[in-house]
Amino acid sequence: MGCALVNVFASGIFVLYAVNIFFVDAGREFGWPKSTTSELLSIFFFSAGLGFPALGWAISRYGIRRPSSALAFCYALTILVIPFLPASKLLFLIDFFLMGLFSASACALPFAIAISGFFDRKRGLALGLGAAGAGLGSAITASFSNILLEQFGWRNGILLYGSISIAVILFSLVFLIRTPPGALVQTDVSGTTMTRSDSFAALLNREMAIIVAVLVLNALCTLGIIGNLVPLLGGRGVSIAVAASLLSAAGLSSWAGRVFVGWLLDLFFAPYVAFSTFLLGATGALVLVYGGTTVLAFVGAVMIGVCLGAEQDLAMYLVSRYFPLSAYSRAVSVSWVAWAWGGGIGTFVAAQSFNLTHSYELALWIFIGLFIAAALLVLRLPAYRFRIHSGTGEAGAAISSAD
């Protein structure tokens, strides 16, 4: 429950869906070009990549609640200060840098560590249900932000949205989460038990390299598209209200993607699920190239939304099957660095595409190619290294390899 609540108002939801709406008016007031929002998102994702490993290390040492709550409080301050900043692009960049740095606590990361410690056989579904809150947040945040914008203006709208989201996040971190007792031992397929002392070394292997690479590529594409969907559609003559509706549709499909993909991960070899998901993303980007302002644009946004929603499930599940729980907080934080930096690169690529060609079409073609590359690369992952627990009456056989 706590994971779902936090994900409704997660940091990524705020920057992708709320900022995209509020900063249309803010940009007009300050006289900023459309690419400014992309630049703010890029700096946010870059600094978020620095914050995830720090929180992962702190959790492995002090537990989940204390470090996560402290960082969430700092994250809250960076949102509440936005309406009071002057029209200085530098100050906004600094604030979004700090926001990203503290944002690791305001997302699924702390709860993913708890879920992976308490669930095994149905871990994929549990992670999917926990992350489903982000899908709900994605579905409602754009439209809700547009209502706040029309009724109260962008400054008061951000204050209201930020106050509600921060209250929910802090409540969930203080009262609805606990650290799994001890370091739960998982049985390696080779029969070797990995201990805390060699968990850092365990991160330096082929599996982690592949996981990081595919997550970077997928985040680069999905966040590059979703983060620029409003200006992309605006350039085609679509109103903010309609663009917000399409953004909400993408968010709703991401909710469905999280739950459905989480369920599939418990049934099929995860790299096969990832392969299909990335190809769906490539198809969605292709549809957006030719979709114009018609129903095809809606279909393309929905496909990208499914791919965006699936990424959290894939990252958390893959890490849990190739690394022991003693290394999980650090391993999953590395995977989230890949997500954050991939998103930063993607929003930057989209912004440069617009600056150079006054269109996002070049970026969309680049994203199509990278989606396909990620789909092919993920098939190089071997069989799971960590079995489902047989001691709890669950299946102990490793799923067959993609090799």
Side-chain angles (χ1 to χ4, degrees):
M1 179 181 175
C3 186
L5 281 176
V6 166
N7 273 314
V8 172
F9 297 99
S11 52
I13 301 299
F14 174 72
V15 297
L16 285 174
Y17 296 93
V19 168
N20 252 311
I21 300 300
F22 290 125
F23 273 64
V24 172
D25 273 21
R28 287 174 183 162
E29 179 181 322
F30 296 149
W32 291 345
K34 290 182 179 179
S35 59
T36 299
T37 301
S38 297
E39 294 170 4
L40 292 175
L41 295 185
S42 294
I43 197 71
F44 169 88
F45 286 123
F46 172 77
S47 62
L50 302 177
F52 285 126
L55 180 60
W57 174 85
I59 287 175
S60 70
R61 181 158 186 162
Y62 303 109
I64 296 175
R65 186 174 297 163
R66 283 188 295 168
S68 299
S69 299
L71 280 183
F73 178 78
C74 296
Y75 166 76
L77 297 179
T78 63
I79 292 182
L80 296 179
V81 77
I82 290 176
F84 304 101
L85 293 176
S88 168
K89 187 175 176 180
L90 176 60
L91 288 179
F92 273 84
L93 288 170
I94 292 173
D95 185 58
F96 271 71
F97 178 87
L98 294 174
M99 187 190 303
L101 201 61
F102 302 133
S103 67
S105 59
C107 66
L109 175 61
F111 292 90
I113 295 168
I115 288 172
S116 293
F118 290 114
F119 291 86
D120 190 37
R121 185 172 180 268
K122 296 296 183 182
R123 182 178 296 168
L125 182 59
L127 289 170
L129 290 173
L136 177 60
S138 303
I140 65 175
T141 296
S143 297
F144 179 55
S145 298
N146 190 54
I147 292 172
L148 292 177
L149 178 65
E150 293 176 346
Q151 296 296 320
F152 304 104
W154 72 269
R155 286 188 171 86
N156 290 329
I158 287 179
L159 276 178
L160 287 170
Y161 178 90
S163 299
I164 295 170
S165 64
I166 290 157
V168 171
I169 291 169
L170 286 174
F171 173 82
S172 300
L173 288 172
V174 172
F175 297 106
L176 300 179
I177 194 171
R178 58 193 176 97
T179 306
L184 302 182
V185 177
Q186 300 187 47
T187 305
D188 192 281
V189 170
S190 65
T192 303
T193 298
M194 299 187 68
T195 62
R196 189 181 185 88
S197 62
D198 52 33
S199 59
F200 271 114
L203 304 184
L204 305 176
N205 59 24
R206 175 172 172 263
E207 289 89 347
M208 178 56 79
I210 294 175
I211 291 172
V212 166
V214 298
L215 291 177
V216 166
L217 293 174
N218 187 57
L220 191 156
C221 301
T222 54
L223 298 178
I225 294 172
I226 295 295
N228 292 277
L229 191 60
V230 172
L232 185 155
L233 295 171
R236 297 176 179 178
V238 177
S239 68
I240 296 178
V242 174
S245 297
L246 284 175
L247 201 55
S248 295
L252 187 60
S253 66
S254 75
W255 172 81
R258 290 172 202 274
V259 178
F260 183 60
V261 169
W263 175 68
L264 289 177
L265 288 171
D266 289 324
L267 298 177
F268 303 104
F269 186 49
Y272 294 160
V273 178
F275 173 82
S276 303
T277 302
F278 298 154
L279 288 187
L280 181 67
T283 305
L286 183 63
V287 170
L288 282 175
V289 171
Y290 296 106
T293 61
T294 65
V295 176
L296 284 178
F298 171 83
V299 173
V302 166
M303 289 181 174
I304 297 298
V306 171
C307 195
L308 175 64
E311 182 165 37
Q312 269 192 10
D313 287 1
L314 291 170
M316 296 183 292
Y317 191 88
L318 286 171
V319 168
S320 75
R321 289 306 177 206
Y322 290 102
F323 298 92
L325 187 60
S326 60
Y328 185 80
S329 63
R330 281 157 287 184
V332 80
S333 67
V334 170
S335 74
W336 281 57
V337 172
W339 173 83
W341 285 358
I345 296 169
T347 52
F348 177 79
V349 168
Q352 295 310 304
S353 171
F354 182 83
N355 289 336
L356 292 173
T357 66
H358 301 289
S359 168
Y360 292 97
E361 187 171 321
L362 174 61
L364 287 173
W365 281 111
I366 293 173
F367 296 152
I368 290 169
L370 294 179
F371 267 131
I372 295 172
L376 296 175
L377 182 59
V378 76
L379 294 179
R380 301 304 303 159
L381 282 171
Y384 297 149
R385 293 191 65 207
F386 291 89
R387 300 176 185 269
I388 295 172
H389 280 288
S390 56
T392 59
E394 299 168 343
I399 308 296
S400 61
S401 167
D403 291 344

